[in-house]
Amino acid sequence: MESNFRWLPSGEHERWSDFALASGAGPFAGPAWLQAMEEAGIETALAVCEREGRIVAGALFRILHRPGLRLLLPAPLAPYQGPWLLPRGVAEPDREERHAAETLRVLARGLAQGFDRIQMILPPEQVDARPFLWEGWDSRARYTCLLDLSKPLDPNRAVVKQVRKAREAGLGVWPSTDWLLLHALWAESLGNQGVALPLGEAAFAACCRRLAGHGLLHLWISGPSEGEAWFANAVLVEGDRAYDWVAGASRDQAPSGGNQLLKTTICEALGSRGVSCFDLVGGDHPGIAAYKRSLGARLQIHVEVSRNVSWKARLLAACGAF
């Protein structure tokens, strides 16, 4: 039986929560994430495929309206949008793959209805983007960096040297719940790169409090003292997997080694909690990728798919607007 596409209304979010848990979607699709987005004033949209009344595939988006355009885009602060799939549980791998492809083609066709442009960043575990290509979508390679925390951390010599320098200078690392401090250091880091913040201070703090309240979000800070932090790093943790979510740094203190001390301490803390895979979330930018690889992380490819449906979107894409 072929699955059916539809948008899930807010009254059925409990069904989505059950699906997110069963499909192993992770922290960027569960009920805590939806509540956090609501706290931050971000309107999310859940696209699902159902079979015999059961959700078998889904993805999470943000709907944006621009003059003359309706856009279906990744939600702020979510590195992956899905799709997540509920395994059919058949014995033959080729049949499982065929069922998944059929479902994803239904999803791809449904998403293209009523929007000018759709963009979705697939998680590393969703390796098969072909169903979207078969439906006329475009794709491009994206990269992240994964750290195996089931083994001892093996950073390069430059990181080891910086950690030693920070310790000799008396820098330390502390857990924190100062979300405004995190936002301020994050703003400083993005400002140095010429990037605008996706969320204001109040909305960001509300989002963080919700995620922390569900036990998913953990923050560490580093500096000369707990009251004088130069670096901050927030990590989302669910089960044996963690995601490097938001980080910020004081630009003037970059040579101190405090950032390397902070990251290696976080890795040790996560490993002691039973986290085996730490997704450092991002490996596309040369400088950022080099830093994350210096910690001993391996490069992992994943896929972004998109489709410019209307002539307006195609024209704008040809002009380099997307």
Side-chain angles (χ1 to χ4, degrees):
M1 174 182 286
E2 188 177 81
S3 56
N4 299 306
F5 172 89
R6 74 183 180 107
W7 292 99
L8 200 68
S10 58
E12 296 184 43
H13 278 186
E14 187 173 340
R15 293 185 59 225
W16 171 271
S17 300
D18 294 339
F19 160 75
L21 180 63
S23 63
F28 302 106
W33 183 262
L34 295 180
Q35 292 168 18
M37 292 298 99
E38 184 178 354
E39 291 276 353
I42 298 168
E43 182 182 356
T44 55
L46 301 175
V48 301
C49 287
E50 295 175 312
R51 186 183 299 113
E52 297 179 344
R54 188 183 190 192
I55 299 175
V56 294
L60 187 151
F61 296 92
R62 183 185 192 185
I63 298 175
L64 285 182
H65 299 273
R66 294 291 181 261
L69 293 171
R70 293 188 78 222
L71 308 174
L72 197 58
L73 302 175
L77 302 179
Y80 312 120
Q81 286 69 55
W84 296 284
L85 288 160
L86 201 63
R88 291 288 293 272
V90 296
E92 300 89 348
D94 62 319
R95 284 184 60 203
E96 186 75 58
E97 183 179 288
R98 187 170 68 251
H99 289 314
E102 290 169 353
T103 301
L104 291 180
R105 294 189 74 170
V106 172
L107 181 68
R109 290 194 294 269
L111 290 172
Q113 302 301 313
F115 292 95
D116 296 281
R117 174 175 168 80
I118 312 105
Q119 178 188 0
M120 178 165 51
I121 303 173
L122 279 60
E125 59 268 21
Q126 178 55 47
V127 297
D128 193 357
R130 295 173 303 164
F132 293 93
L133 307 186
W134 295 334
E135 293 298 327
W137 291 51
D138 298 314
S139 70
R140 73 182 182 103
R142 300 288 296 262
Y143 293 88
T144 187
C145 297
L146 303 180
L147 263 175
D148 183 356
L149 298 185
S150 67
K151 301 183 295 185
L153 197 63
D154 186 26
N156 69 20
R157 285 178 293 180
V159 171
V160 173
K161 183 178 178 180
Q162 286 294 91
V163 170
R164 185 185 307 117
K165 177 181 178 181
R167 286 178 173 152
E168 289 174 352
L171 302 188
V173 176
W174 299 270
S176 176
T177 56
D178 192 341
W179 311 116
L180 296 182
L181 170 65
L182 172 61
H183 187 273
L185 289 171
W186 182 39
E188 183 173 346
S189 293
L190 292 186
N192 293 333
Q193 302 168 36
V195 179
L197 283 173
L199 286 179
E201 186 180 75
F204 178 74
C207 177
C208 291
R209 284 193 293 269
R210 176 63 67 175
L211 292 169
H214 283 268
L216 295 175
L217 185 61
H218 305 271
L219 172 64
W220 287 267
I221 58 174
S222 176
S225 67
E226 194 169 355
E228 186 184 358
W230 295 343
F231 307 92
N233 199 162
V235 177
L236 280 164
V237 182
E238 186 170 273
D240 62 355
R241 200 174 183 96
Y243 301 83
D244 201 6
W245 191 53
V246 171
S250 175
R251 182 179 184 179
D252 295 339
Q253 303 302 332
S256 68
N259 202 25
Q260 288 82 357
L261 174 63
L262 175 61
K263 191 70 75 176
T264 53
T265 302
I266 288 173
C267 290
E268 292 167 0
L270 294 175
S272 68
R273 296 182 185 196
V275 171
S276 59
C277 180
F278 188 14
D279 187 340
L280 298 180
V281 183
D284 294 315
H285 186 279
I288 294 174
Y291 168 65
K292 294 180 177 181
R293 293 275 282 153
S294 72
L295 296 166
R298 65 178 175 87
L299 201 61
Q300 172 67 50
I301 193 169
H302 61 113
V303 183
E304 175 185 316
V305 293
S306 62
R307 185 174 177 188
N308 297 308
V309 181
S310 70
W311 67 266
K312 293 177 288 186
R314 291 193 293 272
L315 179 61
L316 287 169
C319 295
F322 301 130

